[in-house]
Amino acid sequence: MASALVPGTRVVSGMRPTGRLHLGHYHGVLKNWVRLQHEYECLFFVADWHALTTHYEGPSVVAQSVREMVVDWLAAGIDPHSATLFVQSDVPQHAELHVLLSMITPLSWLERVPTYKDQQENLRERDLDTYGFLGYPLLQTADILAYRAAFVPVGEDQVPHVEFSREVARRFNHLYGRETDFAERAQEALRKMGRKAAKAYEELRLAYRERGDSEALGTARALVERQPNVTLGDKERLLGYLEGSGRLILPEPQALLTSQSRMPGLDGRKMAKSYANTISLRETPEDVTKKIRTMPTDTNRVRRTDPGEPERCPVWALHGAYSSVDTRAWVERGCRSAGIGCLECKQPVIDAINAELAPMRARAEELEQDPLRVRTILAEGARRAREAAEETLIDVRRAMNLVWD
Ligand code: TRP
Ligand code: SF4
C-alpha cells in the first residue's frame, strides 16, 4: 500500500480517552482513519492531556481508557504498520510547542473559540475555570503543528479548533518569518540528496527560475518528493528554494471533514455517551440483543395489530444505517400494515450489528491476552512521533532565538 501514499502529506488526529468506544466512534471516526492510513502518512494519538482538562478531578478513568482505546482502534482495523499510534503524554514536544505558542497567542483568541463557553455551560458540574481548559485549543494546535500536518480529520464540532490552529500558525510565520539562512540550509539539504540528484535539481531549478520552464518545475518537484534520505523539513526547503518562495516554518493545516455519518443511538438521537444510548465496540451478542429488543418504537403501536410509522421510530434510523433496500422496504410495508411485529423488525438490525462487532470483539480479546503487544506498538509509535516532532521543534526554537550557543 505504501506506493499509494501521497508523499510528504501528513495526517494527524487525536481522541480523548474518557471511556469506552462505541459504534458512533466506529462509524464517525475509526472507519475514516482506517481508510486514511493507506492514503497518507498518518499519526493517530491518544489525547490524554486533553482528557485531563475536563477530568482532572478523577483522572483514573483516563489512565484506564488509554489502553482500552488503543485496543479498540486496533480491533477496528487501524494497522500499526501503516499508521503511527502513540500517547500524547509520551511525546513532550507537544508540551514544549504548546508553551512556545502560548507566548504569541492572544487571550481573546482563546476566549472566543465557540467550544469554550459551550462546554463550560454543558459541563456545569465540573469547574472548567482553569488555565488548562482555556488552553485546550492551543494544545490541540501544538499537536497538529508539531508534525506540520497537512490534514486533520475531525468532526464538525472540531472545525473551529483547526481554524484556530491555522491562525496561530499564520501568526507564528508572520512574527518569525521565513528562515533567514534559508538559501544556505537549502544548499545543505541539497547535499544530502547525493551528487547526481543534486545536479539534476540545480539544472531544473535554473531552467525554471531563469527561463520559466514549468515542466522543469514539475520534474524537480517530483525529484524532491522521491528522495529517501531527505527529511520532511528539508523537502519543504528544497521545494521553497525551487520556487523562490522560501519556506514557512509552520504550514497551515486543513480540516478534513469526516462525512458525518451520524450514527443513530438507541433512542433515535445521535449516539453519544452523554445520552446513555450507546452500543460499545465490546458489547456481547446477548447485550446487543437485549439493548435492541428493549428499544422504544413508534409509541402509536401499542398492540401488535396497531399499524405503525417507521418515521416515528428510532429502530428505523438503525435500519437506515444497517439494512439493504429490500429489508427497508419489508419494514416499511410490514410496519404500516401491522404485518410484522416490532421484535421481528428488530432482528435484522441485531444480526447486522452482531456481525459487524464479531470480528472486532475477537481481535480485541486477542489483544487483551497480549498486553505486551499494545505496549510495544505504543512505545514504537512514541519513538517515531518524537523524532518527527523534534524536527519541527528544532526549527521553532531556532526561529524564536532559543539557540544560544
Ligand atoms: N479535541 C479533539 C476532540 O475532542 C481531540 C484532539 C486533541 C485532536 N488533539 C487533536 C483532534 C489534534 C485532532 C487533532 O475530538
Ligand atoms: Fe419501529 Fe419496526 Fe416496530 Fe415499525 S415495526 S414501529 S419500524 S420497530
Side-chain angles (χ1 to χ4, degrees), residues 13 25 60 71 95 99 132 139 149 156 247 256 262 275 321 325 345 364 374 395 397:
S13 200
H25 296 110
S60 60
V71 167
V99 163
L139 180 57
E156 220 164 333
R247 167 174 176 264
L256 206 59
R262 234 160 236 254
Y275 294 154
V325 179
C345 173
V374 174
D395 293 343
R397 289 182 208 116

Side-chain angles (χ1 to χ4, degrees), residues 52 64 102 117 137 184 224 249 295 309 358:
L52 280 183
Q64 194 188 323
S102 78
K117 287 247 150 47
E184 282 155 53
V224 170
I249 298 170
M295 264 181 82
E309 174 48 54

Side-chain angles (χ1 to χ4, degrees), residues 17 27 137 265 335 353 358 386 388:
H27 289 280
C335 180
I353 293 177
R386 279 192 297 264

Side-chain angles (χ1 to χ4, degrees), residues 319-377:
H319 276 292
Y322 283 101
S323 297
S324 66
V325 179
D326 287 349
T327 305
R328 290 208 301 271
W330 168 78
V331 171
E332 283 187 294
R333 224 176 313 115
C335 180
R336 290 183 183 135
S337 65
I340 59 170
C342 288
L343 287 181
E344 211 179 324
C345 173
K346 288 171 171 177
Q347 196 56 46
V349 172
I350 294 172
D351 294 340
I353 293 177
N354 279 331
E356 180 170 63
L357 291 184
M360 284 196 247
R361 212 163 28 223
R363 278 198 294 260
E365 261 163 41
E366 216 175 281
L367 287 157
E368 291 291 1
Q369 303 298 315
D370 187 3
L372 194 61
R373 176 148 163 72
V374 174
R375 214 178 302 149
T376 311
I377 289 170

Side-chain angles (χ1 to χ4, degrees), residues 12-14 16 45 47 50 136 140 143-144 152 154 158 161:
V12 170
S13 200
R16 292 153 36 95
F45 68 95
H50 277 105
Y136 186 112
Q140 185 163 351
D143 297 338
I144 299 166
V152 186
V154 285
Q158 292 290 312
H161 290 173

Side-chain angles (χ1 to χ4, degrees), residues 275-308:
Y275 294 154
N277 64 356
T278 61
I279 292 179
S280 97
L281 296 186
R282 314 267 189 107
E283 209 85 55
T284 63
E286 294 74 34
D287 285 345
V288 169
T289 307
K290 198 157 86 201
K291 281 190 168 177
I292 304 287
R293 286 187 143 230
T294 52
M295 264 181 82
T297 59
D298 177 3
T299 47
N300 291 341
R301 270 203 98 175
V302 185
R303 277 174 295 267
R304 165 71 177 76
T305 48
D306 297 334

Side-chain angles (χ1 to χ4, degrees), residues 199-211:
K199 186 156 169 275
Y201 171 95
E202 268 303 20
E203 280 168 14
L204 290 162
R205 187 176 79 86
L206 291 180
Y208 173 65
R209 298 295 297 282
E210 287 171 7
R211 300 193 295 279

